[in-house]
Amino acid sequence: MLQELDRIDIVRYSRQLPLLGAAGQVKLLESKVAVVGLGGLGSLVSMYLAALGVGKLIVVDYDEVGVENLNRQILYTTDDIGKSKATVAGERLKALNPLVEVEARNARITRDNVAEVLKEADIIVDGLDDWKTRLVLDEYAWETGKPYVHAAADSYYGQVTVIQRGVTTCLACITPKPIPEPGCRAIVAPTVGITASIEVMEVLKLATKIGQPSYNKLIIIDSLKPSIDEVPLKPTTECAKCREKLLE
């Protein structure tokens, strides 16, 4: 126990240590998490993960900050308009918690580069608004056996689930058909905040082994009611052909 405490900033994490314990905090310290997409979901998820104290945070985005992002992407300010999201995020997250190693990648994830960009990650987190790229992450996670925390948010609604080969269905099996066009059409910040918070809790459970990840259920958030419901998902070990058709 003393060796574990020696590795932890006890004051910084004093409010969560009673819940996670020293062993749980060390597991966070040893975890490497990739957040792909630094928009509404990804900016919030990455901030929470940095504050929690993950060991390494890999943040990935190819886009620049736009004024239309600022109603919900609170990692950025007006002065950041036109700047690389990945670059700004890397600087802000390091400032938020200097104890976290942050690797910022200014890149668009494709089938050609996904293995290289995410090779160090233990857990993959979805901060995207593009189903085609989600399916690339899904394919990589399925091939490597890494857990993939999926989330999506639009309008007043959000959804979250955890994908894990051998335990759950793949994301392709529950992807809307036809695949929606990429991009955010209309959304309010609280919807993103609720969805991102649940997504971070799934990462926390996976990293620390505290609680049960949301396997085989799709969490549905309605921020207007408000309500959080669960839709059961049927697990399968036979996933591949469905994804190939969608990625053609």
Side-chain angles (χ1 to χ4, degrees), residues 209-224:
K209 312 303 181 188
I210 294 171
Q212 178 62 39
S214 293
Y215 293 137
N216 297 314
K217 56 187 176 184
L218 187 64
I219 300 170
I220 303 293
I221 299 106
D222 181 337
S223 62
L224 273 183

Side-chain angles (χ1 to χ4, degrees), residues 68-141:
E68 71 281 0
N69 301 147
L70 299 180
N71 81 313
R72 66 203 181 281
Q73 299 180 21
I74 62 173
L75 187 56
Y76 314 113
T77 71
T78 301
D79 290 340
D80 298 321
I81 292 171
K83 297 179 183 178
S84 158
K85 287 185 178 180
T87 300
V88 174
E91 293 170 355
R92 297 268 157 77
L93 296 170
K94 289 174 185 175
L96 176 60
N97 190 348
L99 303 178
V100 175
E101 180 184 355
V102 180
E103 178 184 326
R105 299 291 296 267
N106 190 352
R108 182 195 290 265
I109 291 291
T110 66
R111 294 174 101 179
D112 293 330
N113 69 7
V114 63
E116 173 61 27
V117 176
L118 303 184
K119 62 184 178 182
E120 287 191 73
D122 304 316
I123 301 169
I124 301 165
V125 187
D126 180 353
L128 296 162
D129 58 9
D130 176 358
W131 280 94
K132 287 274 189 178
T133 308
R134 286 183 175 124
L135 291 171
V136 172
L137 296 184
D138 180 46
E139 180 178 57
Y140 173 73

